[in-house]
Amino acid sequence: MNWNDFETYVEIYPPEEFNFNECLVFLSRSSLELLHQIKAGSVYKLIKVNETFILFKVGYNNRSIIVEFPLSTPSEESRKQAAEYIWEWLDLGQDLAGFYEMAAKDRILSKISNKYYGLRIIGIPDLFESLVWAVIGQQINLTFAYTLKKRFVERFGESLTLNGDTFWLFPSFEKIASIDVEDLKKLQFTGRKAEYIIGIAKAIKNGDLSKETLLNQDYHQVKRTLTEFRGIGAWTADYVMMRCLHYNTSFPIGDAGLHNALKSLLGFKRKPAIEEIKEFAENWDGWQAYATFYLWRSLYE
């Protein structure tokens, strides 16, 4: 991580291939999002470090990411953890030179890679949050998925209010492990999704599932491990591996957004078949996650 601590603020130095405005486009995709707020070209987010709330404001100036702390100045260790969170959240440790070299020669990605140059996979660093978000999004449209997430966060998450604005934390796995299926059904979750989410929370609480363990496994091991749990199929596993675990080979090939993006870019009247997508993706080896993320970006014009 390349950064400096100036006590009252932090300065992070991202790689050359970084476009903060492109990241804001993705982060702005739903007005129902509660877990960050975008104001005047900056993004505000609440995290918890050692049981202490840390509210940070992320802006960009002269090729540097400027991180300020509107609530109060955190400790030196907390500032470091905030910087590490942002580094991971924006995938700043990834060298994208190979992706752009591949994309420039690809008949599909060459249409969009320069257009969105500097966009990075906006991650979900917390394993529980990424799994729950993926489960929520199964087989429903994005607007309803955000609606369910909003209800879930407001019902079970913690919050902080500053100058009339409320900032939210995603509910903890400890909290969700202690609730009943009926508690989620009241929010319009299906009984099955409620069971999946509570089951995942219990697995993390019991130590049967952890980010640290998954990061020490290869792609195939991780996929096998994740899909052993109820509610986690191939698409959910790849989605989580892409947005939480930073596996560039993860490829949620059944994703509806991916299909719609390909349909639009290729001028098809129908969504492409899985076998066709496999053919399109032959050149993407090692960069399937980034190819998918850039295709998702093409939907937000």
Side-chain angles (χ1 to χ4, degrees):
M1 182 173 67
N2 192 1
W3 71 301
N4 259 326
D5 183 357
F6 295 97
E7 293 191 9
T8 57
Y9 70 96
V10 165
E11 193 166 359
I12 299 174
Y13 310 110
E16 183 177 345
E17 304 96 349
F18 175 69
N19 188 323
F20 186 64
N21 288 333
E22 276 298 328
C23 294
L24 290 183
V25 169
F26 185 82
L27 289 169
S28 302
R29 63 189 183 143
S30 175
S31 60
L32 296 171
E33 178 62 72
L34 283 184
L35 298 175
H36 59 262
Q37 295 183 28
I38 296 172
K39 298 181 183 183
S42 296
V43 58
Y44 293 74
K45 187 166 182 62
L46 182 67
I47 63 173
K48 204 173 190 181
V49 176
N50 299 325
E51 298 305 311
T52 300
F53 284 156
I54 296 180
L55 177 66
F56 58 71
K57 171 188 176 184
V58 182
Y60 190 75
N61 184 34
N62 294 329
R63 298 180 60 80
S64 296
I65 295 171
I66 308 298
V67 185
E68 300 173 276
F69 303 97
L71 183 63
S72 61
T73 302
S75 67
E76 181 180 352
E77 177 59 26
S78 293
R79 295 194 299 273
K80 181 176 184 287
Q81 290 196 42
E84 288 174 344
Y85 182 95
I86 293 163
W87 189 266
E88 181 180 358
W89 187 32
L90 302 181
D91 201 27
L92 298 178
Q94 185 63 249
D95 182 355
L96 293 182
F99 169 69
Y100 289 121
E101 184 179 345
M102 176 277 292
K105 302 171 186 174
D106 186 81
R107 67 176 180 127
I108 297 172
L109 298 178
S110 60
K111 300 177 182 181
I112 57 176
S113 58
N114 278 339
K115 189 174 184 181
Y116 309 132
Y117 190 85
L119 172 66
R120 289 175 175 263
I121 291 177
I122 310 300
I124 305 175
D126 181 74
L127 177 64
F128 180 59
E129 180 185 339
S130 67
L131 283 164
V132 172
W133 177 229
V135 169
I136 287 174
Q138 292 170 359
Q139 299 178 323
I140 59 174
N141 66 55
L142 196 59
T143 299
F144 188 49
Y146 270 108
T147 299
L148 288 180
K149 184 172 87 165
K150 183 173 185 290
R151 292 172 184 168
F152 183 70
V153 171
E154 288 178 334
R155 175 65 181 84
F156 300 108
E158 295 180 272
S159 66
L160 176 151
T161 300
L162 180 67
N163 299 328
D165 292 317
T166 301
F167 303 91
W168 288 90
L169 287 176
F170 195 79
S172 68
F173 62 82
E174 294 95 342
K175 174 76 173 178
I176 302 307
S178 69
I179 68 172
D180 297 319
V181 167
E182 290 302 318
D183 294 321
L184 290 179
K185 288 177 71 174
K186 290 174 186 174
L187 306 180
Q188 274 193 294
F189 283 75
T190 64
R192 187 163 292 177
K193 281 189 182 181
E195 290 172 4
Y196 295 161
I197 289 167
I198 294 170
I200 289 166
K202 289 179 178 178
I204 296 176
K205 183 179 179 183
N206 295 339
D208 297 329
L209 183 59
S210 75
K211 185 175 180 179
E212 292 71 27
T213 301
L214 294 173
L215 288 172
N216 287 318
Q217 299 178 345
D218 66 25
Y219 171 86
H220 297 290
Q221 289 173 316
V222 174
K223 198 158 187 179
R224 280 197 301 271
T225 298
L226 286 174
T227 52
E228 287 174 357
F229 294 90
R230 287 188 68 221
I232 305 177
W235 173 84
T236 302
D238 271 305
Y239 184 90
V240 170
M241 292 170 73
M242 172 184 175
R243 296 202 63 197
C244 180
L245 303 175
H246 306 282
Y247 283 86
N248 285 334
T249 52
S250 57
F251 190 25
I253 196 168
D255 185 78
L258 171 68
H259 299 177
N260 286 329
L262 288 169
K263 175 186 173 185
S264 177
L265 284 170
L266 294 167
F268 283 13
K269 292 183 178 179
R270 54 166 177 82
K271 291 181 182 180
I274 294 295
E275 289 305 315
E276 290 176 297
I277 297 173
K278 288 179 180 177
E279 288 182 23
F280 301 150
E282 284 178 357
N283 298 326
W284 304 350
D285 191 44
W287 292 106
Q288 294 94 324
Y290 262 88
T292 300
F293 201 75
Y294 271 59
L295 287 163
W296 284 347
R297 169 63 183 89
S298 70
L299 296 170
Y300 301 102
E301 291 295 340

